[in-house]
Amino acid sequence: MLVSEHDYQRTLEYSFAALGMLKRAKIPPYPHFYELCYTYASGINEQLNERLNMLLGEDNTLSMENVLQVYREFFDNPSDLESRLTSVSQEMSSKIDAVNRAMDDAIDTAEGYSGSLDKAEQQLLGAVDQEALRILAKQLLHETQKMQEANKNLEEKLKVSKQDISSLKRDLDTARRETMLDPLTKIANRKSFDQRLKQVLELSKKTGTTFCLLMMDIDHFKAFNDNYGHQTGDQVLRLVAMTVKSNLKGRDHASRFGGEEFAAILPDTDIRGARTIAEKIRKAVHAKELLKRSTNEKLGRITVSIGAAQFRHEESIHELIDRADGCLYTAKRCGRNRVICETDEEFRKPKVA
């Protein structure tokens, strides 16, 4: 799989940060320890980061004991969401099995009743005196009552099971939706972005329409995190996420692409329209003044750099992302806090090595 220059640089930074954490703590870079620190550096698991931040010492390092503890907590066991999905699936399967058993019982009862009717029919074809007819009628009444009772029980079980299954289906749908959300910012995650971009691209090729992609990155986020701490950094991520989402509309799709980078898919939008939306987002982010919640200290304003590219019908998803990423990096290179589109001269002119 091809990797854009931006993705390569970002993952390289996460790798260095993870190795730095292990080195400071004198913890061997075994794959499972590296996975833990890389996940922390990337910021994709809010709960893990909060847990590690609580355990970091004054020198910003971890102990082997802490690393083992957090690894067992987050990687040895399934996540709460995975547990919920498994639990709901198992419960739904159990309810369906109960319905099947109730149906089997009803079928057995119906077959028995049918056999009783056949037997009664044979008896009636022969010579039957009054007493035998009375006994036969009594037996048929008893069998009919059994059949009515069985039908009533089945109806009640099906009614309860239908309610239970509907409730479980709602729980399952909720859990599935949560798998498509970033736990920190509560907007769509990378998985949701990948699925949506594929859908929009395929529809665009089918209908001949176009769309644009915005790639956004918070300026100087690492320095901000280092100066004010991860909790304030998380506050910044949530603020930017909500600002991006609130400045989109209709079928536009906002997501956290990874780390401090966000993306927006803009269906039925050309590059001019994308620039307008991107500038609106950039100005809205810059207009917000950040306060440290614990002290009400003013931390200044944050800014974002944005790159915009329009889909070309002959290209792949990777090529579109790579071009939008290139525009984003041009915005960074040109001073940050700006929008660069693929049609801008700054992006089209040869890059200086």
Side-chain angles (χ1 to χ4, degrees):
M1 179 181 70
L2 294 174
V3 178
S4 71
E5 178 65 21
H6 182 41
D7 278 345
Y8 173 76
Q9 291 296 334
R10 183 174 61 246
T11 55
L12 201 61
E13 289 174 6
Y14 295 157
S15 298
F16 288 149
L19 290 171
M21 289 178 68
L22 294 170
K23 185 177 180 180
R24 287 194 300 273
K26 293 183 170 54
I27 295 173
Y30 297 142
H32 50 297
F33 294 153
Y34 173 80
E35 179 186 16
L36 172 67
C37 292
Y38 184 93
T39 303
Y40 175 83
S42 68
I44 61 176
N45 188 319
E46 176 189 6
Q47 288 76 20
L48 182 144
N49 280 37
E50 289 179 354
R51 190 78 178 91
L52 277 180
N53 288 337
M54 291 173 57
L55 298 173
L56 283 168
E58 294 182 0
D59 57 352
N60 206 38
T61 62
L62 294 164
S63 67
M64 173 69 85
E65 181 182 351
N66 287 341
V67 168
L68 284 170
Q69 178 184 343
V70 177
Y71 183 83
R72 293 192 189 102
E73 183 177 340
F74 285 88
F75 292 94
D76 277 357
N77 298 312
S79 68
D80 291 341
L81 188 56
E82 289 173 339
S83 298
R84 283 173 53 201
L85 282 169
T86 301
S87 175
V88 171
S89 296
Q90 290 175 344
E91 200 169 342
M92 185 172 286
S93 178
S94 175
K95 292 296 181 184
I96 291 172
D97 287 343
V99 170
N100 287 335
R101 286 194 298 271
M103 293 291 290
D104 289 340
D105 291 342
I107 290 171
D108 290 341
T109 302
E111 289 176 347
Y113 184 63
S114 178
S116 298
L117 291 178
D118 289 342
K119 184 178 179 181
E121 182 183 12
Q122 294 298 321
Q123 289 177 325
L124 287 172
L125 291 175
V128 192
D129 59 25
Q130 187 175 357
E131 179 61 20
L133 190 60
R134 187 185 66 80
I135 294 173
L136 182 59
K138 186 177 180 181
Q139 289 174 340
L140 286 175
L141 178 61
H142 176 68
E143 292 296 328
T144 301
Q145 289 172 338
K146 281 177 58 180
M147 186 65 192
Q148 289 174 334
E149 187 66 28
N151 286 339
K152 184 179 178 181
N153 288 337
L154 176 62
E155 185 178 338
E156 290 175 354
K157 287 179 180 179
L158 289 177
K159 184 178 179 181
V160 171
S161 295
K162 182 180 179 181
Q163 294 171 344
D164 289 342
I165 290 174
S166 294
S167 176
L168 288 169
K169 186 178 182 298
R170 286 193 297 271
D171 291 344
L172 192 59
D173 289 342
T174 299
R176 282 173 174 162
R177 281 195 299 270
E178 288 180 22
T179 66
M180 305 299 280
L181 289 179
D182 175 60
L184 174 63
T185 62
K186 304 305 179 186
I187 66 170
N189 59 17
R190 178 64 183 271
K191 178 181 178 181
S192 177
F193 167 82
D194 290 340
Q195 289 188 7
R196 180 62 176 156
L197 184 57
K198 183 180 179 182
Q199 292 169 356
V200 172
L201 184 143
E202 290 175 350
L203 181 62
S204 181
K205 287 185 174 181
K206 183 178 180 180
T207 60
T209 56
T210 191
F211 69 94
C212 282
L213 175 64
L214 303 182
M215 298 298 291
M216 297 162 273
D217 191 83
I218 302 174
D219 297 326
H220 304 296
F221 182 74
K222 186 178 185 302
F224 194 97
N225 236 6
D226 292 342
N227 290 334
Y228 299 110
H230 289 284
Q231 288 189 341
T232 305
D234 289 348
Q235 183 184 343
V236 170
L237 291 170
R238 283 190 286 264
L239 174 65
V240 172
M242 289 301 102
T243 304
V244 171
K245 187 174 182 179
S246 64
N247 282 279
L248 300 179
K249 61 182 180 179
R251 295 183 295 123
D252 296 344
H253 183 276
S255 62
R256 186 180 179 190
F257 193 76
E260 65 272 21
E261 191 170 357
F262 298 84
I265 304 168
L266 312 175
D268 298 320
T269 304
D270 62 16
I271 197 67
R272 292 178 62 186
R275 183 192 295 278
T276 300
I277 295 171
E279 281 290 354
K280 186 179 177 184
I281 292 171
R282 185 191 66 79
K283 291 176 182 177
V285 171
H286 191 227
K288 298 183 185 301
E289 188 168 29
L290 194 69
L291 295 176
K292 192 171 184 178
R293 288 177 179 173
S294 57
T295 62
N296 282 332
E297 174 190 358
K298 292 184 178 181
L299 305 181
R301 300 183 188 278
I302 52 177
T303 63
V304 293
S305 297
I306 305 176
Q310 183 173 326
F311 173 62
R312 301 169 184 172
H313 286 271
E314 72 280 0
E315 71 181 346
S316 66
I317 285 177
H318 168 76
E319 289 169 327
L320 173 62
I321 294 175
D322 199 38
R323 198 167 63 260
D325 254 341
C327 292
L328 170 60
Y329 263 81
T330 302
K332 292 280 191 184
R333 192 176 64 250
C334 290
R336 297 180 170 84
N337 187 27
R338 66 187 62 215
V339 174
I340 292 291
C341 298
E342 61 178 321
T343 52
D344 292 341
E345 183 180 348
E346 293 91 339
F347 175 70
R348 290 187 284 112
K349 68 184 180 181
K351 310 298 188 294
V352 178

